[in-house]
Amino acid sequence: MTSPQDPTNTTMGAVDAHGSDKARDGRLDTKASDVYTVTTKSRRTSFRAVWWRHALALLCLAFALFPIIFIVSSAFNNAGTLSTSGLLPTRPGLDNFNDLFNDGARPYWAWYRNSLIICGVATLATLVLGAAAAYAFSRLRWTGRRFGLLFILLVQMFPAMLAFIALYITFANVGEIIPQIGLNTLWGLLLVYLGGAMGSNIWLFKGYFDTIPRELDEAAKIDGASHARVFLTIILPLVRPILATVGILAFVGLWGEFLLASIFLTQAETQTLAVGLYNTREANQNEYFGQFVAGALLASLPVVLVYLSLQRLLIGGMTAGSVK
């Protein structure tokens, strides 16, 4: 016969189980508190070791943001002078923009239009010419290929200012025969920009083109594709990062270019933003300072929009093109 279960033993087992659970929970709580204490101490130790990095980063951030905040504040300050400008506008308003847009002696929107035309056309032409030349250097084999690459690299070592006098004399004489591309013309300045935009861009393009497998070209040629078809339908879609990179560099560089533009463009209607705003500041630095910062603030918008729209392609294009 089986004896019935002793209720005393059952009760004692439940008590023991309950006690063991409490003990286990106590040990887990102790371990959790120990881990939290160790983690907190390690974080404090690591922060003490790198606090100076955070302080340096904040200092650099403040140094970078100071001119931006100052320009924005001055642009919306109705006082409109350099002496009354500060980090906070004393008389907020839009008077500086109204003065900028309604100044008959300084056609701001004409400058804006000229800069957009020059930078847009020059950037597009730079991409087309640079990519086509780099494709020939990267994919084709012809006599003088290596010498051509080295010659382009050698020419880039000379400062561009050495050619300014020769360019001025050349286009002054050309303008007497063909006035459309002489001095004080946008197309003449555009030709000058395109003449100096090939060297470094070709090397960037070629470095990226070399990373694309040649088997793609060979497969397309077997199917009857010409070099032009291979370049347009196969290579260009694969090199969008480097196209974006060169496009950004070309657009930003031409948007802020001042030396050549100030030499070639002397009439107010044909000047670019860089030249026009500089002349506005030089006319009376204190009186026209409000117009100057308002124009500079609006002039920064195209560059910001270009960077924001193409930033995801910028890093990949620069690294892949430079490693090769």
Side-chain angles (χ1 to χ4, degrees):
M1 281 181 72
T2 305
S3 61
Q5 187 174 2
D6 188 359
T8 305
N9 295 335
T10 304
T11 304
M12 293 296 295
V15 172
D16 293 340
H18 185 66
S20 61
D21 291 341
K22 282 188 174 182
R24 183 166 58 254
D25 293 342
R27 288 194 299 270
L28 291 176
D29 292 341
T30 303
K31 291 181 179 179
S33 62
D34 293 341
V35 171
Y36 176 78
T37 302
V38 172
T39 305
T40 304
K41 290 182 178 179
S42 62
R43 289 178 179 175
R44 291 177 180 175
T45 303
S46 61
F47 180 77
R48 290 173 182 173
V50 299
W51 68 268
W52 60 272
R53 299 181 184 178
H54 297 278
L56 182 60
L58 292 176
L59 180 62
C60 294
L61 182 62
F63 182 78
L65 291 178
F66 175 78
I68 299 176
I69 297 175
F70 181 78
I71 289 177
V72 173
S73 174
S74 301
F76 291 96
N77 188 2
N78 286 342
T81 60
L82 178 60
S83 59
T84 58
S85 299
L87 292 180
L88 295 176
T90 56
R91 293 166 49 195
L94 300 176
D95 290 353
N96 291 328
F97 294 93
N98 293 330
D99 296 339
L100 178 68
F101 300 153
N102 298 319
D103 191 347
R106 298 168 183 83
Y108 181 77
W109 291 120
W111 301 340
Y112 217 104
R113 183 190 65 245
N114 296 338
S115 294
L116 287 176
I117 292 174
I118 291 177
C119 294
V121 175
T123 299
L124 182 61
T126 297
L127 293 178
V128 173
L129 296 176
Y135 176 79
F137 282 113
S138 175
R139 289 313 214 236
L140 307 180
R141 294 295 180 267
W142 39 277
T143 304
R145 169 179 167 273
R146 181 176 177 81
F147 173 77
L149 284 172
L150 295 177
F151 179 76
I152 292 174
L153 184 62
L154 179 64
V155 170
Q156 296 300 308
M157 296 181 180
F158 293 93
M161 290 185 293
L162 295 178
F164 282 4
I165 297 177
L167 289 173
Y168 183 86
I169 296 174
T170 299
F171 278 86
N173 295 328
V174 169
E176 296 178 357
I177 303 173
I178 309 176
Q180 292 78 9
I181 58 174
L183 298 179
N184 280 315
T185 61
L186 300 181
W187 302 111
L189 181 62
L190 183 62
L191 290 176
V192 176
Y193 284 156
L194 291 181
M198 299 294 293
S200 58
N201 294 332
I202 290 177
W203 278 91
L204 282 175
F205 276 124
K206 181 184 179 300
Y208 200 95
F209 286 1
D210 290 342
T211 63
I212 300 176
R214 295 181 179 274
E215 288 77 9
L216 296 175
D217 302 18
E218 296 173 357
K221 291 176 182 177
I222 292 176
D223 292 337
S226 62
H227 288 296
R229 187 173 181 82
V230 172
F231 173 68
L232 294 175
T233 62
I234 297 178
I235 300 299
L236 285 185
L238 297 177
V239 297
R240 286 181 297 178
I242 195 62
L243 289 175
T245 301
V246 175
I248 290 176
L249 297 177
F251 185 87
V252 174
L254 294 175
W255 187 260
E257 202 281 324
F258 172 77
L259 291 177
L260 271 176
S262 63
I263 294 174
F264 273 74
L265 306 175
T266 56
Q267 298 178 359
E269 294 77 11
T270 60
Q271 291 175 346
T272 59
L273 270 174
V275 180
L277 290 176
Y278 176 81
N279 291 335
T280 299
R281 188 183 68 86
E282 287 296 307
N284 191 320
Q285 185 172 358
N286 187 54
E287 180 181 356
Y288 295 110
F289 183 75
Q291 296 185 32
F292 171 76
V293 292
L297 183 62
L298 293 177
S300 64
L301 294 180
V303 177
V304 173
L305 293 177
V306 169
Y307 268 116
L308 292 178
S309 60
L310 300 176
Q311 63 177 345
R312 65 184 183 87
L313 300 174
L314 177 62
I315 303 300
M318 293 191 69
T319 54
S322 60
V323 169
K324 189 66 177 180

